Amino acid sequence: MKRIILSLALGFMLFSCSSDDNNKEENKENKENKKYQTENVVLLVIDGPRITETWQEKNQVHIPNRVALLKEGVYISNFRNNGLTNTNAGHTALITGVYDSIQNNGKELPTNPSVLQQWLKHSKKDNSKAWVIVSKDKLEVLNNTKNKEWNGKYMPKADAGISGNPSGYREDAVTIANFKEVIKKDKPNVVVINLKDVDSYGHANKWSEYIQAIKTTDQSIKDIWNFLQSQPEYKGKTTLMVSNDHGRHSDGIKDSFVNHGDACIGCRHIEFFAMGPDFKKNAVIATGSYEQIDVANTMAELLGVKLEYSKGKVIKDIFK
């Protein structure tokens, strides 16, 4: 009997050692195969500022935090939206890599699956690991697609507007607070955020409030970045990308900053600013023809997933 017990104990010890060795080898192999340090990607979409009030303002007085953070990041000075310059179309292009003539009222799903859906399928992770957190209720459509092979599948979690689509827009401060709660609770690897206040004040023809919203969102970028770096699961392994869905009419075009939606330079010229462990620091890039649909491919590259359907490319010049 003692011999049997001894044999079982030895067998268990050998199995445990073998399992530990296998786990160590697997972890080592995963580490060696990992191309980038980034494990989490956050895309922050600031809705509707003109570049002339942000990076191209003479002294950049409205974006002091971005200017200071540039030492940790990279900015592309000639980034473009070459599709429809509306909210839903712009957001769709950013996360699918395709310019889509989607309706702007929240009643139409994107034609193609997003990088979030494709990453969820590839990673086999729970859908709480990918989130769409947006001030505008109509952007809840970003968590799904009308593509028959993907519709209703691999859908990221969504927190949109007051209580989903349609329920009305909410304040950006609520969106940021909700984002922080999701980070602490679910620890997602991929998040898309929309902040709407800049666009809302522009449409209301309130210049002073529009400028103040630009300043507030600039502070929000710093706050979000600092918050992410304060979280052990995100510090040193998170990439934050900041862009826009569209700009606004150039001065002298239609009703100027009040609206958007055409092909003028004010509507097309948008921001791309990013920080992360795999990107250049203190860099301004003015070469290349990078555009909105390239964001999805760049996110996919960092996340290690091959993006189907996309017409974009990886923004190689921002990598170290």
Side-chain angles (χ1 to χ4, degrees):
M1 184 66 180
K2 288 183 179 179
R3 287 182 181 178
I4 293 173
I5 293 171
L6 184 60
S7 297
L8 288 171
L10 286 169
F12 177 75
M13 289 171 64
L14 288 170
F15 175 77
S16 297
C17 290
S18 175
S19 295
D20 288 344
D21 289 342
N22 288 338
N23 288 336
K24 286 177 183 176
E25 285 299 317
E26 187 177 337
N27 290 336
K28 183 180 178 183
E29 186 178 340
N30 288 339
K31 199 169 185 180
E32 288 175 353
N33 289 338
K34 187 163 174 53
K35 191 174 180 181
Y36 301 111
Q37 294 179 57
T38 295
E39 296 178 13
N40 316 289
V41 177
V42 177
L43 172 61
L44 172 59
V45 186
I46 298 176
D47 203 317
R50 283 192 307 196
I51 204 77
T52 48
E53 281 81 66
T54 57
W55 289 94
Q56 285 193 349
E57 196 277 331
K58 185 178 179 181
N59 297 308
Q60 298 175 326
V61 295
H62 306 319
I63 58 164
N65 294 294
R66 297 216 255 320
V67 172
L69 286 169
L70 183 59
K71 68 179 183 294
E72 299 181 47
V74 57
Y75 166 64
I76 299 177
S77 64
N78 60 343
F79 204 68
R80 295 287 190 273
N81 171 348
N82 289 321
L84 291 179
T85 55
N86 290 321
T87 296
N88 283 41
H91 282 79
T92 295
L94 285 165
I95 66 170
T96 66
V98 179
Y99 289 122
D100 198 350
S101 55
I102 185 175
Q103 293 180 55
N104 200 39
N105 56 11
K107 294 183 178 180
E108 182 180 10
L109 295 175
T111 302
N112 301 289
S114 70
V115 62
L116 291 83
Q117 284 182 281
Q118 295 187 52
W119 176 80
L120 280 170
K121 179 181 180 182
H122 171 80
S123 67
K124 298 180 174 59
K125 291 194 176 185
D126 184 79
N127 71 334
S128 65
K129 295 302 179 181
W131 273 83
V132 172
I133 304 174
V134 287
S135 293
K136 290 186 173 181
D137 58 339
K138 65 183 182 179
L139 289 172
E140 189 172 26
V141 298
L142 298 177
N143 79 332
N144 201 0
T145 174
K146 57 188 175 187
N147 182 302
K148 291 181 180 178
E149 294 181 17
W150 291 82
N151 180 262
K153 300 175 183 176
Y154 313 108
M155 292 169 57
K157 294 262 191 179
D159 172 38
I162 295 171
S163 58
N165 184 27
S167 64
Y169 297 176
R170 69 182 177 211
E171 295 302 311
D172 286 344
V174 176
T175 296
I176 293 169
N178 289 1
F179 163 74
K180 290 179 178 179
E181 285 303 310
V182 165
I183 290 292
K184 288 187 282 188
K185 180 183 176 184
D186 288 343
K187 298 176 174 53
N189 300 103
V190 196
V191 183
V192 174
I193 309 170
N194 157 268
L195 299 180
K196 60 86 182 166
D197 285 354
V198 174
D199 187 61
S200 293
Y201 285 120
H203 283 304
N205 196 13
K206 294 182 177 180
W207 177 260
S208 296
E209 289 86 348
Y210 163 73
I211 294 298
Q212 183 55 52
I214 289 173
K215 294 177 179 180
T216 301
T217 51
D218 180 65
Q219 180 64 44
S220 296
I221 292 170
K222 178 183 177 182
D223 290 346
I224 287 170
W225 180 247
N226 287 344
F227 170 74
L228 290 168
Q229 297 309 306
S230 74
Q231 303 297 303
E233 297 84 356
Y234 294 87
K235 183 178 181 179
K237 46 193 173 184
T238 300
T239 290
L240 173 64
M241 299 184 191
V242 181
S243 193
N244 315 124
D245 47 353
H246 54 76
R248 312 194 81 73
H249 294 317
S250 303
D251 288 340
I253 303 293
K254 299 181 179 178
D255 49 3
S256 184
F257 85 102
V258 177
N259 278 303
H260 54 85
D262 67 7
C264 74
I265 190 63
C267 288
R268 291 222 178 277
H269 193 174
I270 59 173
E271 172 178 13
F272 181 89
F273 173 63
M275 298 175 286
D278 303 294
F279 289 169
K280 294 175 180 175
K281 298 181 186 299
N282 201 27
V284 176
I285 295 170
T287 57
S289 55
Y290 294 115
E291 56 185 302
Q292 199 171 49
I293 56 174
D294 299 335
V295 171
N297 289 70
T298 307
M299 293 174 69
E301 173 74 7
L302 288 168
L303 293 165
V305 57
K306 184 178 179 182
L307 199 62
E308 295 183 56
Y309 309 101
S310 175
K311 305 296 182 184
K313 59 187 176 295
V314 175
I315 308 175
K316 293 181 179 179
D317 285 336
I318 64 177
F319 286 78
K320 291 178 180 176

